[in-house]
Amino acid sequence: MKHQSDAAPEKSVRTLRVGEQVRHILSEVLQRGDVHDDVLAKHMVSVTEVRMSPDLRHATVFVKPLLGKDEAAVLKALRTNTAYLQREVATRIKMKYAAKLKFLADESFDEGSHIDQLLRAPQVARDLNED
């Protein structure tokens, strides 16, 4: 007899694996310039993470344009081309349903830079060095 808790780790591993596959496919498509969009052609876009819903029907795609330039324009271009990108993912990953893609800016780099800046502030550095 299988317990519900026994199956839970399997599902999370599967969602992580599928998310990573989607990330690789999107990265490759964007890197090769398969999307015929002027904005995307001018920018290198990193797909930093893909989070899949437990049922694998929805994928939240975190992206960051190189050097963070024109982030809003890049997001708009990705959202405009979502149907094409969804088709590309669906044809390369054999799944029952094609995942719906949702593009968001990856703020983790900005947050990390902000925390680093705070830690280097003279007041904080002084407090850290008192030990």
Side-chain angles (χ1 to χ4, degrees):
M1 180 162 84
K2 259 195 161 183
H3 294 286
Q4 200 171 10
S5 61
D6 292 342
E10 254 180 71
K11 287 182 184 177
S12 73
V13 169
R14 183 167 183 233
T15 57
L16 290 171
R17 189 183 75 239
V18 171
E20 193 59 17
Q21 287 177 317
V22 171
R23 188 182 74 77
H24 279 284
I25 291 167
L26 290 173
S27 294
E28 185 180 308
V29 168
L30 292 170
Q31 187 177 24
R32 283 198 329 237
D34 291 350
V35 182
H36 301 290
D37 185 284
D38 292 340
V39 174
L40 295 176
K42 293 177 191 169
H43 294 84
M44 289 291 295
V45 180
S46 292
V47 180
T48 57
E49 182 183 0
V50 176
R51 292 184 192 159
M52 300 299 298
S53 64
D55 64 2
L56 302 176
R57 289 187 184 212
H58 300 276
T60 304
V61 182
F62 293 92
V63 296
K64 189 74 173 172
L66 190 64
L67 304 175
K69 289 184 180 176
D70 304 325
E71 196 169 79
V74 168
L75 279 171
K76 184 178 179 189
L78 287 168
R79 289 171 181 156
T80 301
N81 292 284
T82 298
Y84 171 77
L85 293 166
Q86 283 176 182
R87 273 194 311 275
E88 284 296 305
V89 170
T91 57
R92 296 182 194 199
I93 295 183
K94 304 295 182 244
M95 291 190 348
K96 194 172 185 178
Y97 302 101
K100 300 260 187 267
L101 303 178
K102 178 181 176 185
F103 292 96
L104 296 176
D106 187 345
E107 305 295 337
S108 62
F109 294 106
D110 299 333
E111 290 171 18
S113 296
H114 180 68
I115 290 170
D116 188 52
Q117 216 173 16
L118 289 173
L119 290 173
R120 293 177 191 274
Q123 308 88 319
V124 176
R126 182 187 65 233
D127 292 344
L128 291 174
N129 291 331
E130 284 181 2
D131 292 343

Short mmCIF file of all heavy atoms in Angstrom, two decimals, residues 46-70:
data_model
loop_
_atom_site.label_atom_id
_atom_site.label_comp_id
_atom_site.label_asym_id
_atom_site.label_seq_id
_atom_site.Cartn_x
_atom_site.Cartn_y
_atom_site.Cartn_z
N SER A 46 18.35 35.62 -20.86
CA SER A 46 18.61 34.43 -20.05
C SER A 46 17.30 33.94 -19.46
O SER A 46 16.56 34.71 -18.86
CB SER A 46 19.57 34.75 -18.90
OG SER A 46 20.83 35.05 -19.39
N VAL A 47 17.05 32.65 -19.62
CA VAL A 47 15.92 32.02 -18.95
C VAL A 47 16.52 31.44 -17.68
O VAL A 47 17.22 30.43 -17.71
CB VAL A 47 15.27 30.92 -19.82
CG1 VAL A 47 14.10 30.28 -19.10
CG2 VAL A 47 14.83 31.50 -21.15
N THR A 48 16.29 32.11 -16.55
CA THR A 48 16.96 31.75 -15.31
C THR A 48 16.30 30.60 -14.57
O THR A 48 16.97 29.83 -13.89
CB THR A 48 17.07 32.97 -14.38
OG1 THR A 48 15.76 33.48 -14.15
CG2 THR A 48 17.94 34.04 -15.01
N GLU A 49 14.98 30.48 -14.69
CA GLU A 49 14.27 29.42 -13.97
C GLU A 49 12.89 29.23 -14.59
O GLU A 49 12.30 30.17 -15.10
CB GLU A 49 14.11 29.81 -12.50
CG GLU A 49 13.44 28.77 -11.64
CD GLU A 49 13.24 29.21 -10.19
OE1 GLU A 49 13.61 30.34 -9.83
OE2 GLU A 49 12.68 28.40 -9.44
N VAL A 50 12.40 28.00 -14.53
CA VAL A 50 11.03 27.70 -14.93
C VAL A 50 10.40 26.90 -13.80
O VAL A 50 10.92 25.86 -13.40
CB VAL A 50 10.96 26.89 -16.25
CG1 VAL A 50 9.52 26.51 -16.56
CG2 VAL A 50 11.56 27.69 -17.40
N ARG A 51 9.30 27.41 -13.28
CA ARG A 51 8.57 26.71 -12.21
C ARG A 51 7.28 26.15 -12.79
O ARG A 51 6.45 26.89 -13.29
CB ARG A 51 8.24 27.67 -11.07
CG ARG A 51 9.46 28.15 -10.32
CD ARG A 51 9.07 29.01 -9.15
NE ARG A 51 10.25 29.68 -8.63
CZ ARG A 51 10.23 30.77 -7.90
NH1 ARG A 51 9.07 31.33 -7.59
NH2 ARG A 51 11.34 31.32 -7.47
N MET A 52 7.15 24.84 -12.71
CA MET A 52 5.97 24.16 -13.23
C MET A 52 4.93 24.01 -12.13
O MET A 52 5.27 23.80 -10.97
CB MET A 52 6.35 22.76 -13.75
CG MET A 52 7.37 22.74 -14.86
SD MET A 52 6.88 23.59 -16.37
CE MET A 52 5.44 22.64 -16.86
N SER A 53 3.65 24.08 -12.52
CA SER A 53 2.57 23.79 -11.58
C SER A 53 2.57 22.27 -11.34
O SER A 53 3.09 21.51 -12.16
CB SER A 53 1.23 24.26 -12.14
OG SER A 53 0.91 23.52 -13.30
N PRO A 54 1.99 21.81 -10.23
CA PRO A 54 2.00 20.37 -9.95
C PRO A 54 1.37 19.52 -11.06
O PRO A 54 1.80 18.40 -11.30
CB PRO A 54 1.17 20.25 -8.65
CG PRO A 54 1.34 21.58 -8.00
CD PRO A 54 1.42 22.57 -9.13
N ASP A 55 0.38 20.06 -11.77
CA ASP A 55 -0.24 19.29 -12.86
C ASP A 55 0.48 19.48 -14.20
O ASP A 55 0.06 18.94 -15.23
CB ASP A 55 -1.73 19.65 -13.00
CG ASP A 55 -1.95 21.11 -13.40
OD1 ASP A 55 -0.97 21.86 -13.61
OD2 ASP A 55 -3.13 21.51 -13.49
N LEU A 56 1.57 20.24 -14.21
CA LEU A 56 2.41 20.49 -15.38
C LEU A 56 1.69 21.25 -16.50
O LEU A 56 2.16 21.26 -17.64
CB LEU A 56 3.00 19.18 -15.94
CG LEU A 56 3.84 18.36 -14.96
CD1 LEU A 56 4.27 17.05 -15.61
CD2 LEU A 56 5.04 19.14 -14.47
N ARG A 57 0.59 21.88 -16.19
CA ARG A 57 -0.16 22.62 -17.23
C ARG A 57 0.25 24.09 -17.31
O ARG A 57 -0.09 24.76 -18.28
CB ARG A 57 -1.66 22.54 -16.95
CG ARG A 57 -2.21 21.15 -17.20
CD ARG A 57 -3.71 21.17 -17.08
NE ARG A 57 -4.26 19.83 -17.22
CZ ARG A 57 -5.43 19.58 -17.74
NH1 ARG A 57 -6.19 20.55 -18.17
NH2 ARG A 57 -5.86 18.35 -17.82
N HIS A 58 0.93 24.58 -16.29
CA HIS A 58 1.34 25.99 -16.27
C HIS A 58 2.83 26.08 -15.93
O HIS A 58 3.31 25.38 -15.04
CB HIS A 58 0.53 26.78 -15.24
CG HIS A 58 -0.93 26.76 -15.52
ND1 HIS A 58 -1.53 27.63 -16.39
CD2 HIS A 58 -1.92 25.95 -15.07
CE1 HIS A 58 -2.82 27.37 -16.46
NE2 HIS A 58 -3.09 26.35 -15.67
N ALA A 59 3.51 26.96 -16.63
CA ALA A 59 4.93 27.17 -16.39
C ALA A 59 5.18 28.67 -16.21
O ALA A 59 4.81 29.47 -17.07
CB ALA A 59 5.75 26.65 -17.57
N THR A 60 5.76 29.02 -15.08
CA THR A 60 6.17 30.40 -14.85
C THR A 60 7.64 30.50 -15.24
O THR A 60 8.48 29.81 -14.66
CB THR A 60 5.96 30.80 -13.37
OG1 THR A 60 4.60 30.56 -13.02
CG2 THR A 60 6.31 32.26 -13.15
N VAL A 61 7.92 31.33 -16.23
CA VAL A 61 9.26 31.44 -16.81
C VAL A 61 9.89 32.75 -16.34
O VAL A 61 9.37 33.83 -16.63
CB VAL A 61 9.19 31.40 -18.36
CG1 VAL A 61 10.59 31.46 -18.95
CG2 VAL A 61 8.44 30.17 -18.83
N PHE A 62 11.00 32.63 -15.61
CA PHE A 62 11.72 33.82 -15.13
C PHE A 62 12.84 34.12 -16.11
O PHE A 62 13.65 33.25 -16.43
CB PHE A 62 12.27 33.58 -13.73
CG PHE A 62 11.19 33.45 -12.70
CD1 PHE A 62 10.67 32.20 -12.37
CD2 PHE A 62 10.68 34.57 -12.06
CE1 PHE A 62 9.66 32.08 -11.42
CE2 PHE A 62 9.67 34.46 -11.12
CZ PHE A 62 9.16 33.20 -10.80
N VAL A 63 12.85 35.36 -16.59
CA VAL A 63 13.83 35.77 -17.59
C VAL A 63 14.55 37.05 -17.16
O VAL A 63 14.04 37.82 -16.36
CB VAL A 63 13.17 36.01 -18.98
CG1 VAL A 63 12.58 34.73 -19.52
CG2 VAL A 63 12.13 37.09 -18.91
N LYS A 64 15.75 37.21 -17.73
CA LYS A 64 16.53 38.42 -17.47
C LYS A 64 17.29 38.77 -18.75
O LYS A 64 18.08 37.98 -19.24
CB LYS A 64 17.52 38.16 -16.33
CG LYS A 64 18.23 39.39 -15.83
CD LYS A 64 17.30 40.23 -15.01
CE LYS A 64 18.00 41.38 -14.36
NZ LYS A 64 17.09 42.30 -13.72
N PRO A 65 17.02 39.95 -19.31
CA PRO A 65 17.83 40.38 -20.47
C PRO A 65 19.25 40.68 -20.01
O PRO A 65 19.47 41.10 -18.87
CB PRO A 65 17.15 41.66 -20.95
CG PRO A 65 15.98 41.90 -20.07
CD PRO A 65 15.99 40.90 -18.96
N LEU A 66 20.20 40.43 -20.90
CA LEU A 66 21.60 40.68 -20.59
C LEU A 66 21.77 42.12 -20.12
O LEU A 66 21.26 43.05 -20.76
CB LEU A 66 22.47 40.41 -21.82
CG LEU A 66 23.97 40.40 -21.57
CD1 LEU A 66 24.34 39.26 -20.63
CD2 LEU A 66 24.71 40.25 -22.87
N LEU A 67 22.44 42.30 -19.02
CA LEU A 67 22.69 43.60 -18.39
C LEU A 67 21.40 44.29 -17.93
O LEU A 67 21.41 45.46 -17.59
CB LEU A 67 23.47 44.54 -19.32
CG LEU A 67 24.81 44.00 -19.85
CD1 LEU A 67 25.40 44.95 -20.85
CD2 LEU A 67 25.76 43.72 -18.71
N GLY A 68 20.30 43.58 -17.95
CA GLY A 68 19.03 44.13 -17.48
C GLY A 68 18.46 45.24 -18.35
O GLY A 68 17.57 45.97 -17.93
N LYS A 69 18.95 45.34 -19.59
CA LYS A 69 18.51 46.43 -20.48
C LYS A 69 17.14 46.15 -21.08
O LYS A 69 16.86 45.02 -21.49
CB LYS A 69 19.52 46.63 -21.62
CG LYS A 69 20.82 47.24 -21.18
CD LYS A 69 21.71 47.49 -22.38
CE LYS A 69 23.02 48.10 -21.95
NZ LYS A 69 23.93 48.26 -23.09
N ASP A 70 16.32 47.18 -21.15
CA ASP A 70 15.00 47.12 -21.82
C ASP A 70 14.15 45.94 -21.34
O ASP A 70 13.50 45.26 -22.13
CB ASP A 70 15.17 47.05 -23.34
CG ASP A 70 15.96 48.21 -23.90
OD1 ASP A 70 15.84 49.32 -23.35
OD2 ASP A 70 16.72 48.01 -24.86
#
